[in-house]
Amino acid sequence: MTASTQVRPTAPDVAEQRRELALPGGADRVFRLVLRSMGAVVLAIMAVVGLFLAVRAGLALRKAGGDFLTTEAWEPDDENFGVAAVLIGTVLIALVAISLAVPLATGMALYISEYATGWRKRLLVTLVDLMAAVPSVVYGLWGVNFLQPHVVGLSRWLATYGSWIPLLEVDGYDPGDPLSPQTVFTSSTFIAGIVVALMVTPIISSIMREVFSQAPVGEREGAYALGGTRWGMIRTVVLPFGRGGMIGGTMLGLGRAMGETIAIYMIISPVFVIQPHILENGASSISSLIALKYGAAGKVGISALMAAGLTLFVVTLAVNFGASMIIARSRSGAQSEV
Amino acid sequence: MARIRRGFAAGLALLLGVLLPAAPAHAVVYVPISGAGSSWSGPAVYQWASNVKQYGMTVSYADTGSSDGRNRFKSGVVDYAVSEIPYGLTDGGVVDYPPTTKFSYMPIVAGGTSLMYNLRIGNNRVTNLRLSGEVIAKIFTGVITNWSDPAIRADNPRLNLPAREIVPVVRSDGSGTSAQFTMWLSKKYPNLWNDYCRKAGRTTPCGFTSNYPVVAGMGFTAQSGSNGVAGYVKQDGNVGTITYVEYSYAVNLNFPVAKVRNSKDYYVEPTASSVAVALVDAQINSDLTQKLDAVYDSTDKRAYPLSSYSYMIIPVDQVSGSFSLDKGRTLAAFAYYFLCEGQQQAESLGYSPLPVNLVKAGKAQVDRIPGAVPKAIDGRSCNNPTLSPDGSNALANKAPQPKECDFKGNDMCASGTGGARYNTPLLAAPTGSATTSPGASASPGTNTGTGTGTGTGTVVDPDTGQVIGTGGGASGGDVTATTVDLVAQDRSTRRTMLLLAAATLVALVLLPPLLARTLRNRRRL
């Protein structure tokens, strides 16, 4: 381990000393001012968005009161609406997405950062970035027209042999009836979750790759020097070092999964009751609810949608803050411990 | 010689006469215009928009649903909107207030809201399904839930309908098609519709709605957009689904649509001519909006009851917001195009052309668009297919009479509908061989009566008690067995195999490292 300290001079310390020595000149001051105001603008925009949502949601929140969080319905014109069902639907879709995306992203990131070399590595990095650049409507189209008919078989299999798990139960499906419609498996939380998983995988993967590649060379070399295999090195050095980044990336992905709109909008068949059966036709999510109902909403309807948006805003904010806190507290990017 | 020359000159003049009015279109500089709204009319608007590219017009359109189109037009985001229903109607207690700027409705195309379905009997796709209005209403309110329901069998006497669940597919977004369809439901079958609405937690009487209510657990599926519902029904696995969508979507996807029974008890397909016949009875208000009550009950036996017009909402008289005279000129030129030449394509697109009186009324509105360069349209130069010397709708006049096999009764036609123009194998006519030839009964009334008289005994299998055939002559003609895709058969074997496969997989993953470790440990010892 001492070798690593010799190889890597303490560069940050030097920088720190230099900054201390430099006298704040006019140009520096202006530059700092510009940067500060830019940071402030970001905060201000967030605050304005939140405030706008809160103000516009006022009407609906006053009408619904505390029931807004517990009602499972969306008939704002009859003053019978609440986010209980859609919020849980959103979380379920996001969880399905994350549980599929995280193993995939971890594998991708590990292969790219630890195993792939040369042109293979460059190609894969480009491909993953490309995956992130594909518009969500394309994922939606693909999901609805290609993926859905093909996943139905898997859903059916899961429902047939896994129905003892409450989550995988499907009402109205009788495995013994050959004429039972396949449609009970379409437009489900599961299918929406798969598509969203593909959309969040690149983000999670790039964060993980970044963190993994920062695992200190010294410790890697040490692990090899002790006779570790590559997998042993990954298990004892890269993964523990990157744990914070993995959790942070996962939570960023979760935040994005909860906000995903158009792909879900195209796939799900919206229902406004809590639907815990992820394989069954009928799902819901806040953002797709807004996209669906915005076009034909009345005055209360718009306000109710704003309130739903506010709920989503708060939840995503909490998730993202959580993520950034975990990333900040992790060892990622820190110096190797000697 | 002189005559020839004169003829040539006349021909040249005619040619010039045709060409010259079009000439200014090339000279005028157009600016891009954008619109949004109905996906019911989407295929037509998209086709027209791509046709006018040759004149240098850039017309964009987003088929995001009528409700969205009206809202966007109201907030001034788009230059025009397309909608099935006008402003000012009350949907679920909410009034859709019209924009504060001046606007006008202009009919753009007629069409039939069709019932597209995906149904198989054995390996054959059903292409000739017939449904009465009440059965449709019961399907879309969750009263009839199985394809083998006696009411559907009564509509289709010669189909051996499978005992499959019916999956009604409705629109999840705010839609003019939903509005048209629920308008029909609420006017014709108010009790069924209100019962359903109550289940969905809406206040009754429900009236029409752009947002089709969905009750969880009733087997309904909701999809967004006309493409969404049609694409969903089209998927191979989704057998048993039925949706309401404009006829052109079914035609484009090569899918059949249900023939709907009209008030004269004929089952009619929403072809261009049957829509034109039905809309002869449409009551056109002074603002060109439609009242369709008489269309639903049209007394013509060729009429398709679920016919309607679609509208473009255009700004008139004054320039406001982001609209400009340049945009007005482009919009007007586009409108002149589809009111005239565009209507010729209506039929091939799965719509029905506007009758001449509505073309003229529409033109009067287009003339009011600020910046419009008025263009003479008299219907004659347009080759509008509905044009006739006496001013009546030519398309409706020459609409073919429905075939006798389309009449309510024991017989039905085998021919396909919509985009699936192939025959469906039929069961033998239930009783009496005379009824099999439709031409034999000139008056429809006799067709129903013949079934009772012959009194052929049904043959019952002594072992199973099942009816194995009727003694109706044709040998082997009425074998009613249906092959079924037996996915779920022999489940115990499948389960064992799957468990074995899973165990092998686990072993494959776990055994090598375990083995290696044991071996290594042993070596170390």
Side-chain angles (χ1 to χ4, degrees):
Chain A
M1 289 297 152
T2 41
S4 89
T5 35
Q6 283 168 359
V7 171
R8 302 179 66 191
T10 50
D13 290 350
V14 175
E16 202 131 339
Q17 279 168 8
R18 274 186 193 153
R19 202 164 63 218
E20 289 299 318
L21 287 172
L23 286 168
D28 275 347
R29 217 174 286 158
V30 169
F31 186 58
R32 194 180 297 168
L33 198 71
V34 168
L35 288 191
R36 271 208 188 126
S37 56
M38 279 174 178
V41 163
V42 171
L43 278 180
I45 289 175
M46 288 297 281
V48 166
V49 169
L51 202 70
F52 162 80
L53 284 173
V55 168
R56 294 291 302 270
L59 175 68
L61 289 178
R62 269 196 303 280
K63 285 210 160 134
D67 292 344
F68 185 69
L69 290 176
T70 53
T71 309
E72 299 175 36
W74 200 266
E75 297 291 344
D77 301 331
D78 292 335
E79 302 198 0
N80 175 27
F81 60 95
V83 286
V86 276
L87 189 60
I88 289 176
T90 313
V91 172
L92 274 177
I93 292 179
L95 285 183
V96 169
I98 282 300
S99 50
L100 292 171
V102 166
L104 185 62
T106 314
M108 266 158 72
L110 276 180
Y111 180 74
I112 292 175
S113 76
E114 304 303 323
Y115 289 87
T117 47
W119 64 270
R120 236 181 241 129
K121 184 170 183 161
R122 281 195 301 275
L123 181 75
L124 280 173
V125 170
T126 322
L127 280 181
V128 171
D129 289 346
L130 202 69
M131 234 177 121
V134 174
S136 62
V137 65
V138 174
Y139 278 109
L141 274 176
W142 177 78
V144 121
N145 292 317
F146 177 81
L147 191 70
Q148 178 156 290
H150 291 86
V151 168
V152 162
L154 175 66
S155 294
R156 186 185 212 121
W157 186 82
L158 283 174
T160 309
Y161 300 104
S163 56
W164 46 275
I165 305 169
L167 213 58
L168 300 183
E169 209 181 319
V170 173
D171 283 341
Y173 169 58
D174 173 14
D177 176 12
L179 285 180
S180 76
Q182 276 203 6
T183 48
V184 290
F185 300 112
T186 57
S187 306
S188 62
T189 306
F190 182 60
I191 293 171
I194 294 178
V195 173
V196 176
L198 292 175
M199 300 170 63
V200 297
T201 299
I203 292 183
I204 305 179
S205 169
S206 1
I207 291 175
M208 285 187 181
R209 178 167 51 86
E210 206 61 37
V211 176
F212 291 155
S213 65
Q214 284 176 2
V217 182
E219 291 185 20
R220 287 166 187 262
E221 298 290 337
Y224 284 134
L226 290 171
T229 56
R230 192 181 306 200
W231 169 237
M233 187 276 289
I234 289 173
R235 219 178 42 197
T236 52
V237 178
V238 177
L239 289 182
F241 181 84
R243 191 176 296 136
M246 284 171 74
I247 296 172
T250 305
M251 292 193 57
L252 277 183
L254 189 68
R256 192 174 170 210
M258 290 204 294
E260 180 42 48
T261 310
I262 201 72
I264 298 180
Y265 165 93
M266 295 172 82
I267 290 168
I268 63 167
S269 164
V271 288
F272 298 108
V273 291
I274 293 175
Q275 165 72 285
H277 306 145
I278 58 167
L279 297 176
E280 192 176 323
N281 183 316
S284 50
S285 93
I286 292 184
S287 45
S288 70
L289 168 84
I290 296 174
L292 274 176
K293 300 287 176 187
Y294 180 74
K299 201 169 163 224
V300 184
I302 292 277
S303 178
L305 290 177
M306 295 286 179
L310 184 68
T311 320
L312 183 64
F313 182 75
V314 170
V315 172
T316 358
L317 212 63
V319 169
N320 280 326
F321 269 130
S324 55
M325 266 163 68
I326 290 171
I327 293 178
R329 278 169 51 186
S330 77
R331 280 178 61 207
S332 309
Q335 277 221 296
S336 63
E337 286 165 12
V338 184
Chain B
M1 193 63 198
R3 186 188 280 173
I4 291 171
R5 196 173 297 158
R6 207 179 302 145
F8 178 75
L12 194 71
L14 198 73
L15 197 71
L16 281 176
V18 172
L19 281 179
L20 276 179
H26 291 284
V28 181
V29 176
Y30 296 115
V31 295
I33 52 170
S34 67
S38 164
S39 61
W40 191 91
S41 337
V45 179
Y46 282 127
Q47 182 63 50
W48 294 331
S50 81
N51 290 351
V52 295
K53 277 211 186 88
Q54 56 176 322
Y55 304 122
M57 288 184 231
T58 309
V59 178
S60 58
Y61 182 67
D63 58 348
T64 49
S66 295
S67 308
D68 187 55
R70 289 196 306 278
N71 274 351
R72 286 211 221 176
F73 182 78
K74 204 191 295 186
S75 54
V77 185
V78 291
D79 305 316
Y80 66 92
V82 179
S83 174
E84 268 80 70
I85 52 172
Y87 285 109
L89 298 180
T90 308
D91 178 353
V94 176
V95 182
D96 180 19
Y97 289 106
T100 48
T101 56
K102 280 200 145 187
F103 67 96
S104 195
Y105 302 107
M106 175 185 68
I108 59 170
V109 75
T113 301
S114 69
L115 293 143
M116 172 178 163
Y117 61 92
N118 182 345
L119 187 62
R120 285 173 175 278
I121 298 178
N123 289 324
N124 298 315
R125 179 174 301 291
V126 179
T127 57
N128 61 342
L129 190 76
R130 324 194 294 181
L131 295 174
S132 62
E134 190 172 347
V135 167
I136 295 169
K138 283 183 172 169
I139 288 175
F140 280 92
T141 52
V143 177
I144 293 180
T145 57
N146 201 296
W147 282 109
S148 61
D149 193 279
I152 306 182
R153 281 183 182 273
D155 279 332
N156 302 281
R158 293 182 66 185
L159 287 181
N160 180 31
L161 292 163
R164 264 186 195 280
E165 221 173 281
I166 302 178
V167 182
V169 183
V170 300
R171 289 281 292 274
S172 60
D173 53 339
S175 139
T177 320
S178 291
Q180 290 291 17
F181 186 65
T182 55
M183 182 88 81
W184 174 79
L185 281 176
S186 65
K187 292 241 165 97
K188 292 284 290 176
Y189 304 97
N191 293 337
L192 286 168
W193 179 235
N194 284 336
D195 283 350
Y196 179 73
C197 261
R198 205 169 298 125
K199 276 187 214 152
R202 296 209 179 172
T203 45
T204 49
C206 211
F208 86 97
T209 177
S210 295
N211 293 305
Y212 202 96
V214 174
V215 187
M218 280 182 78
F220 281 53
T221 290
Q223 294 283 307
S224 57
S226 292
N227 269 320
V229 287
Y232 185 86
V233 169
K234 183 195 164 240
Q235 285 177 21
D236 267 345
N238 296 348
V239 182
T241 49
I242 182 165
T243 189
Y244 55 88
V245 72
E246 213 286 328
Y247 186 58
S248 65
Y249 285 89
V251 172
N252 289 340
L253 292 174
N254 298 326
F255 257 68
V257 298
K259 288 180 180 170
V260 177
R261 195 163 97 193
N262 61 22
S263 61
K264 286 284 179 199
D265 286 340
Y266 277 91
Y267 293 89
V268 177
E269 193 189 339
T271 54
S273 55
S274 58
V275 167
V277 169
L279 286 174
V280 167
D281 289 326
Q283 191 186 325
I284 306 294
N285 302 330
S286 56
D287 64 348
L288 296 184
T289 55
Q290 59 195 341
K291 203 154 180 288
L292 296 171
D293 299 35
V295 174
Y296 301 153
D297 294 315
S298 172
T299 51
D300 197 307
K301 60 181 177 181
R302 303 165 298 171
Y304 183 75
L306 275 162
S307 307
S308 58
Y309 293 114
S310 170
Y311 296 95
M312 185 173 276
I313 302 171
I314 49 175
V316 289
D317 297 343
Q318 63 190 36
V319 176
S320 60
S322 64
F323 203 73
S324 63
L325 290 175
D326 285 338
K327 282 186 173 178
R329 189 168 58 238
T330 316
L331 181 57
F334 179 51
Y336 289 134
Y337 170 79
F338 66 68
L339 281 176
C340 183
E341 289 165 62
Q343 297 299 322
Q344 294 167 28
Q345 283 183 313
E347 184 163 358
S348 62
L349 288 169
Y351 294 85
S352 182
L354 288 178
V356 174
N357 60 328
L358 281 183
V359 169
K360 283 182 182 153
K363 184 206 172 295
Q365 300 305 320
V366 178
D367 290 343
R368 291 169 62 195
I369 297 177
V373 183
K375 190 174 162 185
I377 292 180
D378 62 350
R380 214 161 298 270
S381 58
C382 297
N383 287 325
N384 187 308
T386 68
L387 189 75
S388 72
D390 62 344
S392 59
N393 188 329
L395 196 66
N397 292 343
K398 65 170 201 265
Q401 293 294 326
K403 285 186 266 183
E404 279 313 312
C405 57
D406 275 330
F407 187 72
K408 178 185 85 173
N410 286 336
D411 195 19
M412 64 189 293
C413 300
S415 53
T417 50
R421 295 259 164 222
Y422 43 88
N423 288 1
T424 305
L426 295 178
L427 301 177
T431 47
S433 54
T435 48
T436 47
S437 64
S441 53
S443 72
T446 56
N447 226 354
T448 46
T450 45
T452 51
T454 46
T456 49
T458 45
V459 182
V460 177
D461 188 305
D463 295 328
T464 60
Q466 295 264 323
V467 177
I468 52 172
T470 53
S475 57
D478 42 10
V479 176
T480 58
T482 302
T483 53
V484 162
D485 185 19
L486 287 178
V487 186
Q489 234 194 10
D490 208 3
R491 288 186 57 216
S492 57
T493 328
R494 276 170 57 93
R495 182 175 292 205
T496 324
M497 294 306 287
L498 281 166
L499 279 176
L500 261 175
T504 321
L505 186 72
V506 171
L508 263 174
V509 173
L510 290 183
L511 272 183
L514 281 178
L515 214 65
R517 183 165 291 185
T518 340
L519 284 175
R520 209 182 318 154
N521 287 349
R522 195 170 293 162
R523 208 179 301 150
R524 205 171 291 161
L525 287 171

